[in-house]
Structures are given as C-alpha cells and as structure tokens.
Amino acid sequence: MIKALIFDCFGVLYWDDLNRMYDLVGAENAQNLNDLMHACDHGYITAQDFLDQVAALAGKTVDEVASTMRDKQSPNKALMNRVKELKANYKIGLLSNMGYDTLDAVFNEQQRKDMFDDVLISSDVGLIKPSRDLYELALERLGVGPDEVIFIDDRLPNVEGAMQLGMKTILFTTNKHFEQELARILEAESA
C-alpha cells in the first residue's frame, strides 16, 4: 500500500532548464559545470563559491550567472497545489540534489511546512541521487518501506536508482503525465 510520495525539486516542483547554464559556460566547459554542480550539491562548496566559479568559467559577472539561475527556476504552481492536496492522504517528502542556501530561495519555511513531512537536501548529508544511501535515508526519515513509496523525478538515473531499491517511480515530464501515472500506480495497488 502506498503511504508516501517523494518529489524531486528542480525539473518537477520547479521548472528547470539546465540548457541555459550550459549555454552560458559553453560546450567546452560542460564537464566543469557538471563538476561544480556536483560539488555544490554534495555541500563541498557554498552557493557563493558555485556562482563565483561559474562566472569565471563563463566570463560573466556573478550577477549575470545568478540572474540566469533565477530565470531558469519557476514554480510549478499547479503541481505544488496538488502536493498540498496529496498531503491529506500521504506522507510527502522532498528529496533534492541541492547546494547550501538554495532551499530558502525556492521554498520558505511556511511552504515547506505546508507541503512536506520531510525535506532531505543532498548538501546537508553529503550524498547525491542516485545514491542508495540517500534513498534509504529518505525512507527512514519518512518511516516507510520502499514498497510503500512513489518516487517522482525528472532524471532517469535517479528514477532507476529508486526502482533498484524497490520504490514505485514516475519519470516526470508533465503534470498531466504525472497524474496519469499516479492514477495507474494507485489503481494497480488497490487491485
């Protein structure tokens, strides 16, 4: 029986277009950008260090990089409202690869309280998806087993990692697709 849903942030609850960041630094620096994102998500560098280093890679100012990052992040308000509805019947977790200081920029404390039963951010624990240890920690904090969870993420490796642990998964593409997959999983569970 499904008792919890765990949502990713960027690309699901927040629309995300990493292509803008890759365009900013250029194809020749794509791997360097990936490395910086992983370092920030792990908590090895601060959000300010990330901005400084990406600005240096791109030959742009820190303000230009920060503006590009803000532009690429817009709330998926319809899905956020749906999450609040789902919280009446399910435990709701947020599990995101995210650097320090980023959480407050996307969800204030009241929004976190209204939407989530638990918030697990990669930089807080030094692990990133698709780490099995990170998924197990999310399950432990919600007090559920993998067979009692639907994990929602927009990145296939993250979804595959959750599946390997035994979670039901939805590879997020659109809100409509999410609703269709959620209904399909819940119907199969009740059959």
Side-chain angles (χ1 to χ4, degrees):
M1 172 183 223
I2 299 300
K3 295 182 179 177
L5 287 82
I6 299 175
F7 288 87
D8 175 43
C9 183
F10 300 113
V12 179
L13 296 173
Y14 262 75
W15 297 118
D16 186 3
D17 183 4
L18 285 177
N19 290 333
R20 284 187 188 183
M21 290 298 287
Y22 288 112
D23 287 344
L24 191 68
V25 300
E28 68 278 8
N29 287 313
Q31 186 57 53
N32 291 330
L33 178 61
N34 285 339
D35 293 345
L36 288 172
M37 285 189 293
H38 283 279
C40 189
D41 289 346
H42 273 100
Y44 301 147
I45 63 174
T46 67
Q48 187 61 53
D49 292 336
F50 175 79
L51 289 173
D52 292 342
Q53 292 180 47
V54 171
L57 276 179
K60 303 284 184 187
T61 67
V62 169
D63 288 340
E64 288 172 309
V65 173
S67 175
T68 299
M69 289 179 66
R70 276 192 303 273
D71 289 345
K72 77 180 183 107
Q73 299 170 0
S74 60
N76 182 346
K77 292 180 182 177
L79 186 57
M80 288 182 185
N81 288 333
R82 181 68 170 121
V83 167
K84 290 175 190 173
E85 292 171 4
L86 290 165
K87 191 175 180 211
N89 297 310
Y90 303 96
K91 291 181 179 180
I92 304 292
L94 175 68
L95 177 59
S96 185
N97 289 347
M98 189 182 293
Y100 292 119
D101 307 324
T102 306
L103 181 62
D104 290 333
V106 291
F107 293 111
N108 65 39
E109 198 170 319
Q110 187 61 50
Q111 289 171 314
R112 293 192 297 261
K113 182 180 176 187
D114 291 345
M115 292 177 63
F116 308 112
D117 294 290
D118 186 62
V119 173
L120 181 54
I121 303 305
S122 62
S123 59
D124 288 343
V125 294
L127 299 166
I128 63 170
K129 293 179 290 183
S131 165
R132 182 180 184 93
D133 292 341
L134 186 60
Y135 294 126
E136 288 174 345
L137 182 58
L139 294 172
E140 179 183 317
R141 287 170 52 152
L142 283 170
V144 294
D147 59 330
E148 299 173 315
V149 172
I150 302 172
F151 176 76
I152 303 98
D153 201 295
D154 65 317
R155 305 225 185 272
L156 185 59
N158 297 342
V159 167
E160 289 172 340
M163 284 173 54
Q164 289 174 1
L165 199 60
M167 290 186 235
K168 308 275 188 295
T169 61
I170 298 174
L171 180 61
F172 184 86
T173 54
T174 65
N175 291 347
K176 182 178 180 180
H177 179 258
F178 164 74
E179 291 294 349
Q180 291 168 340
E181 288 298 297
L182 179 63
R184 182 187 61 76
I185 292 169
L186 294 176
E187 185 177 306
E189 286 287 309
S190 65

